[in-house]
Amino acid sequence: MTTDIISNRTVSEFTFRETKTEFLTHSPNGSIEKQYKLPEVLFITSFPPRECGIATYSNDLMEALTRQFENSFTCSVCALESKSEKHTYSQKPRFILNTDQRNAFAKIAFKINNNENIKLVVMQHEFGFFAEKEEEFNQFFTCISKPIVFVFHTVLPNPNPELKAKVKEMAIIASSVVVMTANASAILVKDYGVSLYKITIIPHGTHLVPPLNRSKLKKHYELGHRKILSTFGLLGWSKNIETTLEALPTVIKTHPEVLFLILGKTHPSLVKKEGEKYRTLLEEKVKELHLEKHVRFVNEYLELPVLLEYLQLSDIYLFTSKDPNQAVSGTFSYALSCGCPVISTPIPHAKEVLSKNNGIIIDFESPAQLAQAIVLLLDNEKLRVEISSNSFHKMASTAWQNSAIAHALLFEKLTEYAFQLNYKIPEINLDHIKKMTTAFGMIQFSKISVPDIHSGYTLDDNARALIAMCQHYELFKEESDLKPINTYLNFIKHCLQPSGLFLNYANEQKEFTPQNYTENLEDSTGRTIWALGYLISMDKIISPKLILEASELLETAIPYLDKIYSTRAMAFIIKGLHYQNEQKNLPLLQKLTNRLVQMYKHEKSYDWHWFEHYMTYGNSLLPEAMLCAFISTGKEEYKKIAMESFGFLLSKIFVDGRIKVVSNKGWHIKDKIDENVIGGEQPIDVAYTIMALAQFYFEFNKDEYKQKANLAFNWFLGENHLHQIVYNPCTGGCYDGVEACNVNLNQGAESTLSYLMARLTVEKLATYDMSVHISEGCKEIEEMAESTV
């Protein structure tokens, strides 16, 4: 058990609370101007270009925080140095703490305490950093008057009294202690007597990687058809790589194609003490065992993209540390997150992660067990794939984006909300959309981020895709959008039957499947009318040929639309007819809207303002459709019901400053609402809510709608009950849903298109506000000019 970091921000707090420090500066003309500084989080840590695991960790974490949040806080560095460790930094640190300089600790503490902008100090702690200056270090952290977070990278079990006292003193001073595994947390409580409430578990971050073809990667690195074993990290005696070398003769008897890659330089600290003694020992052992054709040293400190490619091309990753007290390993975490099947010695981190067929654990310094495990995996590709998939799912929540969110929520809490968290809106990325689109249309499902062509195609997804790409073209006028727009429109044409009805499901061979004749396809038809109407509404910027095709398809379906009674299908059709803006179809729009009006009047009571006696999926569609009907007809009754029902819906799904859409794990039933249902939240429901909020904002210009739209969008970025990303910025895809304890990692068409529609709606809101400001500015200039005349 550990501290659960929950944000208690309300909508108004999230939007309006001022957090910046105010100060005065002189402008070029001599006047005094107010300036603002963001609150600062200071990291005391080793830092690149220093080559060590904690330096890399700190850099990755700060980069993740900067990518995930904006206008929230700044990250600054107090770089740890010594007589033998001095560096030139690409960007000057806030402070440099040379632990060997006289009074250095006291001087830095004084500077920290006197900088009012520093709100929190994060100490990346490893005893080796301060081994020769323990007394000064103790005085240092006790003198700092700001809240301190200690991040313990090593937690030793069974401490002697002296070590126990040191750790306990740090924990008492700290506002929080961060560890990376449950095992480390348990040791702190049991062996050191640290209070559980002080401890926060935040796993070591990992990098999101795009799926790459292993065979192509091997070819790129001239590894041909070899079976690749790998290990990486700064070499040192504790890595115990000789265990693998001693196991290889047994392995190559049955798998002569094996090549073992030893990736990484020798640890700089070790080189300073004894040169390349350890590497030389390994090289001599390679010769002794006649392994020259089966071992390759890559003696470099690899750049991250290269390292991740090496991991992705590896068939098995080997972690053979002989240190039973190694609490956590970044190299181990990175390998797992790249989908490598891992064989590891039983360090606490491995025992915690490699359970339930997520990998294989062997004893320390056991070449025989290692050889047996390697052969087992090389002989069984199915098992390798299974372990790879299991470990990938296990590590997904540790992505650096999620680590950044966990840290930021902790920082916010410890500073008593001295700053607010503003999620940074990601760049628009169409990569996964393009990947999911063939010449025929949009593929339905994806296995993780790999399109599953065997899942076939649906009219639903291609209608959504048409809307999304039309939104994109509307905003950016990119000619390249027209090809997929044509593709999705042609798919709709393919699904329209001579009877005027649409079919929904087509297989890989473009044939309609039996599923079309066993399901109610009214929603699919309605969604298609919305898509066609949206395309028609762009007649001023899209070729007349496309508009004509869309109009003919819609008009072919018109005679059958009044026979549709599905609530959401009617709402889709109303939206489509609203966008089409064709006078002759106005009676049909009103007929369908009046059906919704009657449903609303029938179900409405003093505490239930809804169209049905339950709330299920796509709820925002209904009030939005009523609003569209009002805009098309001017009927006040439609407007009243739109506003009343939407206000009711928003009161149910915006809770504690974030959106929590109605879950497919438990619909809201009139008089029986269970608000404790967790999980089952779908991207499509969040997207529809954002689109409806934008429509209401454009019509009524109430800031509340825009604020809620932006707040709802944060659900994709981590503002959900799991505090995990739902949008994958690496692939451009969107995960399929937020469950009770995990995110569904598949990135299918529905979820990815839902995210894109939401993202483009947020973009449109920003563009709209900018155009309004420009328009108001021009009007003001004109008025000033007229008054001058």
Side-chain angles (χ1 to χ4, degrees), residues 348-383:
H349 192 188
K351 289 194 287 187
E352 207 165 291
V353 174
L354 296 186
S355 59
K356 297 179 182 176
N357 209 21
N358 292 322
I360 297 176
I361 293 178
I362 60 168
D363 290 337
F364 292 108
E365 302 183 80
S366 178
Q369 285 187 22
L370 178 57
Q372 185 180 8
I374 292 171
V375 171
L376 172 69
L377 289 181
L378 291 178
D379 285 346
N380 193 334
E381 184 177 0
K382 183 179 178 183
L383 179 59

Side-chain angles (χ1 to χ4, degrees), residues 503-533:
L503 297 182
N504 188 39
Y505 300 100
N507 62 21
E508 183 181 352
Q509 289 73 37
K510 307 178 185 179
E511 304 161 337
F512 292 113
T513 67
Q515 197 174 353
N516 288 291
Y517 309 104
T518 58
E519 290 188 11
N520 186 325
L521 302 181
E522 289 188 350
D523 280 11
S524 304
T525 296
R527 190 175 286 107
T528 303
I529 300 303
W530 171 26
L532 293 171

Side-chain angles (χ1 to χ4, degrees), residues 687-719:
Y688 283 165
T689 303
I690 291 168
M691 296 175 86
L693 284 162
Q695 190 77 276
F696 274 77
Y697 176 67
F698 295 143
E699 182 63 24
F700 301 116
N701 201 30
K702 288 186 177 180
D703 282 343
E704 176 196 1
Y705 294 129
K706 182 180 69 173
Q707 290 160 15
K708 280 190 164 69
N710 290 324
L711 197 61
F713 187 76
N714 289 341
W715 181 89
F716 291 102
L717 309 181
E719 192 71 77

Side-chain angles (χ1 to χ4, degrees), residues 633-670:
T633 66
K635 288 197 171 186
E636 287 294 322
E637 183 180 34
Y638 297 167
K639 173 184 171 183
K640 182 185 177 195
I641 292 174
M643 296 190 72
E644 198 171 77
S645 60
F646 199 40
F648 177 72
L649 173 63
L650 296 178
S651 73
K652 300 297 180 187
I653 63 175
F654 280 88
V655 181
D656 295 332
R658 65 171 179 250
I659 191 170
K660 183 177 180 292
V661 292
V662 177
S663 165
N664 64 15
K665 301 292 184 187
W667 304 131
H668 282 197
I669 310 297
K670 188 177 182 180

Side-chain angles (χ1 to χ4, degrees), residues 716-727:
F716 291 102
L717 309 181
E719 192 71 77
N720 49 64
H721 78 271
L722 292 178
H723 303 298
Q724 293 182 25
I725 55 168
V726 185
Y727 169 67

Side-chain angles (χ1 to χ4, degrees), residues 279-438:
R279 184 180 294 274
T280 301
L281 178 145
L282 295 176
E283 290 170 345
E284 289 174 352
K285 189 170 278 289
V286 168
K287 291 177 184 176
E288 176 191 332
L289 297 171
H290 308 292
L291 296 171
E292 291 90 341
K293 293 182 180 179
H294 300 280
V295 177
R296 183 182 297 178
F297 290 89
V298 181
N299 188 9
E300 300 175 45
Y301 190 81
L302 297 173
E303 294 295 322
L304 181 65
V306 176
L307 171 61
L308 295 177
E309 286 187 346
Y310 269 119
L311 291 175
Q312 286 184 282
L313 65 79
S314 297
D315 294 282
I316 304 172
Y317 183 80
L318 307 177
F319 185 82
T320 53
S321 169
K322 62 181 178 182
D323 180 3
N325 296 322
Q326 183 172 354
V328 70
S329 166
T331 64
F332 173 88
S333 298
Y334 285 9
L336 283 167
S337 68
C338 286
C340 288
V342 173
I343 301 172
S344 174
T345 48
I347 67 166
H349 192 188
K351 289 194 287 187
E352 207 165 291
V353 174
L354 296 186
S355 59
K356 297 179 182 176
N357 209 21
N358 292 322
I360 297 176
I361 293 178
I362 60 168
D363 290 337
F364 292 108
E365 302 183 80
S366 178
Q369 285 187 22
L370 178 57
Q372 185 180 8
I374 292 171
V375 171
L376 172 69
L377 289 181
L378 291 178
D379 285 346
N380 193 334
E381 184 177 0
K382 183 179 178 183
L383 179 59
R384 292 204 310 275
V385 170
E386 182 183 349
I387 289 175
S388 175
S389 176
N390 291 346
S391 60
F392 185 84
H393 280 82
K394 179 88 173 179
M395 298 302 290
S397 63
T398 68
W400 275 116
Q401 289 81 356
N402 294 332
S403 180
I405 293 166
H407 278 91
L409 290 172
L410 176 64
F411 298 166
E412 185 186 45
K413 176 184 173 184
L414 296 179
T415 57
E416 297 180 344
Y417 303 94
F419 52 77
Q420 67 184 48
L421 298 181
N422 299 308
Y423 287 84
K424 183 180 286 187
I425 305 293
E427 295 293 320
I428 294 166
N429 181 352
L430 301 180
D431 287 353
H432 195 55
I433 297 291
K434 293 174 183 176
K435 201 172 172 183
M436 293 284 287
T437 301
T438 69

Side-chain angles (χ1 to χ4, degrees), residues 442-502:
M442 171 74 70
I443 297 169
Q444 182 177 194
F445 295 138
S446 178
K447 293 179 179 177
I448 309 295
S449 60
V450 179
D452 180 11
I453 187 63
H454 303 302
S455 68
Y457 305 82
T458 68
L459 178 64
D460 285 330
D461 292 328
N462 282 271
R464 293 185 191 102
L466 180 59
I467 294 165
M469 292 312 299
C470 283
Q471 284 180 287
H472 193 269
Y473 186 75
E474 192 175 19
L475 285 166
F476 303 109
K477 312 295 188 297
E478 293 181 6
E479 290 298 309
S480 58
D481 292 342
L482 296 177
K483 183 179 177 181
I485 285 173
N486 266 290
T487 298
Y488 306 137
L489 184 62
N490 285 335
F491 186 89
I492 291 173
K493 193 185 301 182
H494 177 78
C495 292
L496 181 61
Q497 301 303 292
S499 64
L501 300 174
F502 291 95

